[in-house]
Amino acid sequence: MSSTGPIGIFDSGYGGLTVMKEIVKKLPAYDYVYLGDNARAPYGNRSFDTVYRYTLECVKWFFEKGCPLVILACNTASAKALRTIQQNDLEKLNPSNRVLGVIRPTTEIIGQFTKSGSIGILATNGTVQSKSYAMEINKFYPEVNVVQEACPMWVPLVENNEYDKEGADYFIQKNIQNLLAKDGDIDTILLACTHYPLLMDKLVKYAPKNVRIVSQGEIVADSLSRYLANHPELESRCTKTGSRSFYTTDSEEDFENHATTFFGEPVKAIHAEL
Ligand code: DGL
């Protein structure tokens, strides 16, 4: 039951590679296995039930690979599936393993970034509808006003290599304006989707200069580092030979073609059967 193995990093597709990039930078000694459920991505517009069912299948796949710890590097999966997996499934699957998400580490510290007390969240439809960010931020920072804006066009723009082209400007400008119209005091915008860091240059162009734009990768990596230090029983089960492997439920070739954009270096992909 208490296997040793790599740390699993999960995403609906390629986006989690932006989080993995920061985790590997911060904690290079560990072994990592990445799984992108590209065959069923995007998750952003899918129902709670579907996201839960897909994510659970992927968590089981990681556990079969021997991963003692799985990070759901996908905001939509963290918002819609993590709690049920932690509360209902882990006990039956392997009570000594752990599954963590990206929302808690982010919401724990994001309140420290705002001076005005207003934070804007940009995310997929699914993450916005779940209200997870607003609820979690207000648990840690009850006085902070959290407003959200769903940006359903941003993931397709990034996945179709339009993220640095002119077409992207229209949607970025529009969503930022919509967000700021909901609360003019926003001084911190959180990119609560794995794909959005790739739009950073354009976001900086269209957001007011006094607004800080925060992406999650480094926050999640710092939090994982602290988590491993505080959980030696789990940390000792995470193997450390510096290996990285990348699996996709869809075409290896497509994954390899996109991965460099998200991960910053070329990767070799393997097809995963769930
Ligand atoms: N990885 C997803 C997220 O962070 C974005 C892509 C999708 O919709 O599947 O919410």
Side-chain angles (χ1 to χ4, degrees):
M1 282 291 255
S2 293
S3 59
T4 62
I7 297 175
I9 301 187
F10 169 71
D11 185 50
S12 54
Y14 316 108
L17 291 168
T18 60
V19 177
M20 179 166 171
K21 184 176 160 190
E22 299 303 330
I23 291 179
V24 165
K25 210 189 286 173
K26 176 93 192 172
L27 300 161
Y30 293 93
D31 298 328
Y32 296 95
V33 172
Y34 182 91
L35 174 65
D37 190 10
N38 297 84
R40 302 185 292 194
Y43 281 12
N45 289 321
R46 294 196 188 277
S47 68
F48 267 87
D49 266 8
T50 304
V51 172
Y52 163 64
R53 198 157 37 82
Y54 288 177
T55 307
L56 182 60
E57 275 176 26
C58 294
V59 167
K60 286 180 184 166
W61 180 90
F62 281 111
F63 285 0
E64 277 159 23
K65 283 243 162 299
C67 299
L69 171 64
V70 178
I71 312 293
L72 304 185
C74 174
N75 282 279
T76 310
S78 297
K80 292 187 159 183
L82 178 64
R83 189 177 295 259
T84 316
I85 291 174
Q86 285 174 333
Q87 291 179 353
N88 296 351
D89 299 297
L90 203 53
E91 186 64 29
K92 286 171 250 159
L93 293 175
N94 189 328
S96 67
N97 284 357
R98 288 291 169 268
V99 182
L100 305 174
V102 289
I103 297 180
R104 168 95 195 228
T106 311
T107 53
E108 260 172 12
I109 75 148
I110 192 76
Q112 295 169 18
F113 293 31
T114 176
K115 289 200 173 64
S116 68
S118 291
I119 295 177
I121 307 290
L122 299 172
T124 63
N125 274 327
T127 302
V128 166
Q129 280 160 13
S130 77
K131 299 192 176 74
S132 299
Y133 272 95
M135 287 186 308
E136 290 291 319
I137 291 172
N138 284 146
K139 263 190 220 159
F140 296 111
Y141 306 96
E143 72 292 351
V144 166
N145 187 41
V146 182
V147 291
Q148 310 188 91
E149 168 77 0
C151 312
M153 291 304 291
W154 291 15
V155 166
L157 283 168
V158 172
E159 298 222 332
N160 289 291
N161 275 326
E162 292 291 329
Y163 62 94
D164 54 355
K165 310 283 185 323
E166 271 171 38
D169 290 56
Y170 169 79
F171 291 103
I172 291 173
Q173 203 171 3
K174 178 177 146 195
N175 288 127
I176 291 200
Q177 274 171 5
N178 288 350
L179 180 76
L180 294 170
K182 292 172 193 169
D183 182 345
D185 290 335
I186 290 172
D187 66 353
T188 307
I189 292 180
L190 174 67
L191 306 184
C193 173
T194 51
H195 287 54
Y196 299 176
L198 288 155
L199 299 164
M200 189 58 102
D201 288 350
K202 289 194 188 289
L203 287 160
V204 168
K205 185 166 148 196
Y206 291 113
K209 295 287 161 277
N210 66 318
V211 172
R212 176 170 176 181
I213 303 171
V214 180
S215 52
Q216 289 178 302
E218 276 179 57
I219 295 174
V220 173
D222 287 347
S223 164
L224 178 60
S225 169
R226 286 193 301 275
Y227 184 88
L228 291 170
N230 291 334
H231 295 83
E233 71 299 340
L234 190 70
E235 194 281 337
S236 62
R237 292 174 53 211
C238 300
T239 51
K240 300 168 199 71
T241 66
S243 77
R244 288 97 180 81
S245 30
F246 299 86
Y247 288 81
T248 172
T249 55
D250 206 352
S251 137
E252 290 110 314
E253 197 185 333
D254 277 353
F255 190 90
E256 288 170 5
N257 287 341
H258 280 86
T260 315
T261 311
F262 291 87
F263 195 55
E265 59 183 81
V267 308
K268 184 96 200 80
I270 306 166
H271 180 75
E273 283 299 332
L274 295 182

